[in-house]
Every structure is written in C-alpha cells, then in structure tokens.
Amino acid sequence: AVFPRSSFILPLIGMLTYREARTPAREALDRIGPQCAHALSEALADESVDFGIRVNIPFALTLWATREVSDRLIQNLLIQDSGMIRFKILRALAQMRRVNSELTFDDAMLTESTQRTLRSAYVLLNWYWLLEEGGREEPSRTTPGHELLSTLIHDKYEHALDRLFRHLDLIYSEEDFGRIKRGLWSRDDDDVASSLELLENLLISPLRETVLGLVKPASERVDRRERLSHAPLDLELKEESYDQLLMAILTSNSESLRAVGAYHIGELGLSEFRDAL
C-alpha cells in the first residue's frame, strides 16, 4: 500500500484467501488502482485459481463500483458452478449499488442468471420430493445417507431461493425483496400472506407464476405437481424412479451431492451403479 506497484497485484490477490491479510490486501489493491479490477476478474473466472481466493474476489471488486466491473461480475454469474461464489457475487453487486446509487446493471445477463437460478431451484425441489417419496415407498431406503442427502438437497434448494430473491432485489431496485423473503419464511400466517400478495403484484407473468410455484406452501401430491407445472418452459421435470434420481444426483455438477449420493448407493448395495461410480 505504501509502494503501490502493478507487480504486486497477483501476490495481493493470492492473499485474499487469508483472513488476517484480506483487508490490508484489499487496501493495497485499492491504492494500486482500477487496473486491479481486470486481474481480479480474470482470476475469478479461472477455475485453476484456488477456491479460497476466488470466493473472496467479488467483495474486493466492490472497490470499483462501475458498470464495467458489474458487467464482469454478472458474466461470472453465468459461468460459475459454485453456488457460494454466485452468492458472493450477488452480495457484491448489492454493495456496489449501495456505493453508487446511479449504477445500472446489464438487464439481459441478469435476467438470464435469474432464469438459471429458477431452473436450479425447481430441479432441487423435485429431487427433494422424489427422495422423500422414495423413502416412504420403500422404508429400507431411509438410511443415514438418505437423511443426509435429503438435508443437503433441501439446504441447496433454500440457498437457491436466497440467490433468487437477491436477483429480484437487483432487478427491482426500488423494492425490498429481502423483506419479502423473510415474510415468506415467517411463522406468522399474515406475514406469509402479505409477502405472497406483494410478489403477485410486483412480478410480471410468467415470472410471477414461476416464482410463486417455488414459494407457495404445499403438502399434498396434487399441489406439488401443480407447483412443478410452473417451472420454466425449457425445463422438463419427469416422474423419475428412485434409481433414476440417484443417477441424476451422481452425474450432477455438485461435488457434495455426488459424494453423498455415492455413499447412499453404497448403503443400498446397488451394484448396477458400479460403472457410474
């Protein structure tokens, strides 16, 4: 920070992975100047860069709350496999808007990222229901691995919903979608009803129906099928067997889901999965 040099940029980016060094490293990058934003964006998109570094890059990029930097962050929303990094990017974009109230985002890219988040949430919701249904149909499937897999899928579903509402908060900048989401998860029926009404009034069809299909309370099978019917049109959600569900999990892009899915397959002794494993 005292002797800002461009040759320090890459070592400083590497320091973002360490809690003790993170803040002074950001201060030094700030002193070096806006040219650091390009190097940070390149590192964020490079999967060979350590995850502990990449997950801390979005906040570092908030040092430069410009349209060019926000465009790079949104581009990364479309290419990052990690839900955690996408979450960090969404938080960074919100912070940039707080720093620069006149900042506008690329609507087309943000809309595409929103649609991808919606598709992911519907897939996870369908998997969760199929997993629970499979356990009820065959109680021998309700192993510790089944319970862990069910919990993991539901957690990922809730994280996807959180990212969805953060997208909506960026698109509808004059509304507080964080408050609406808290109302939906409230134990007070009036709060839930109020949040649902706000969503119905704020969102435009077909986005309105797609979002409501995810968040409306439902317990009966007929309600679940009706909810899934509101999934994005380019997403086909089939009635899968338990084995088909496990194969989908085993070939997903989530390392944690693949690992727990493989463990559960081992618990059940499903030798037909040997080649896939």
Side-chain angles (χ1 to χ4, degrees), residues 1-233:
V2 177
F3 300 101
R5 299 288 186 275
S6 60
S7 59
F8 295 161
I9 294 175
L10 293 182
L12 287 167
I13 292 175
M15 291 179 189
L16 294 175
T17 193
Y18 302 108
R19 181 181 300 274
E20 296 83 358
R22 195 170 299 149
T23 298
R26 288 181 68 250
E27 292 170 352
L29 289 166
D30 189 23
R31 287 292 304 278
I32 293 170
Q35 66 265 38
C36 297
H38 176 74
L40 285 161
S41 299
E42 292 292 311
L44 179 59
D46 186 350
E47 292 189 358
S48 68
V49 176
D50 184 78
F51 178 83
I53 297 172
R54 289 191 295 131
V55 78
N56 287 292
I57 286 176
F59 185 62
L61 282 167
T62 63
L63 292 166
W64 303 281
T66 65
R67 175 61 184 264
E68 181 181 1
V69 174
S70 71
D71 281 354
R72 285 179 172 269
L73 280 171
I74 297 175
Q75 286 167 3
N76 269 277
L77 277 177
L78 300 176
I79 65 173
Q80 293 290 341
D81 285 335
S82 166
M84 175 58 73
I85 291 180
R86 295 197 299 274
F87 168 74
K88 294 281 191 175
I89 290 172
L90 291 167
R91 287 187 60 183
L93 290 168
Q95 172 64 16
M96 290 171 69
R97 176 166 278 168
R98 284 191 289 269
V99 172
N100 179 5
S101 60
E102 296 182 358
L103 179 63
T104 59
F105 299 129
D106 187 301
D107 289 337
M109 286 197 297
L110 204 52
T111 298
E112 172 60 23
S113 181
T114 304
Q115 288 298 315
R116 292 187 185 190
T117 304
L118 281 165
R119 290 194 289 270
S120 176
Y122 269 99
V123 167
L124 290 165
L125 181 61
N126 188 42
W127 283 2
Y128 177 73
W129 281 337
L130 289 172
L131 195 68
E132 294 295 292
E133 196 170 82
R136 288 191 296 271
E137 290 174 350
E138 189 63 59
S140 62
R141 293 168 175 162
T142 56
T143 60
H146 178 279
E147 181 181 357
L148 179 57
L149 192 57
S150 177
T151 300
L152 180 60
I153 290 174
H154 195 267
D155 284 350
K156 285 183 173 292
Y157 166 69
E158 291 191 335
H159 293 160
L161 285 185
D162 183 72
R163 294 195 302 273
L164 170 63
F165 277 84
R166 289 178 184 275
H167 276 87
L168 295 175
D169 208 40
L170 295 173
I171 294 172
Y172 298 87
S173 58
E174 296 180 357
E175 306 297 337
D176 187 352
F177 276 87
R179 181 174 61 84
I180 294 174
K181 178 178 177 291
R182 289 191 295 274
L184 290 171
W185 266 249
S186 171
R187 296 184 179 181
D188 187 311
D189 291 343
D190 289 339
D191 288 343
V192 175
S194 176
S195 289
L196 288 172
E197 183 179 358
L198 283 169
L199 288 176
E200 290 175 351
N201 291 329
L202 291 172
L203 302 181
I204 300 172
S205 183
L207 180 61
R208 178 197 302 121
E209 292 77 15
T210 308
V211 172
L212 289 174
L214 286 172
V215 300
K216 273 190 173 180
S219 56
E220 298 300 324
R221 181 179 177 80
V222 62
D223 295 328
R224 303 203 317 251
R225 297 269 68 82
E226 196 274 335
R227 284 177 67 181
L228 292 177
S229 71
H230 294 299
L233 294 177

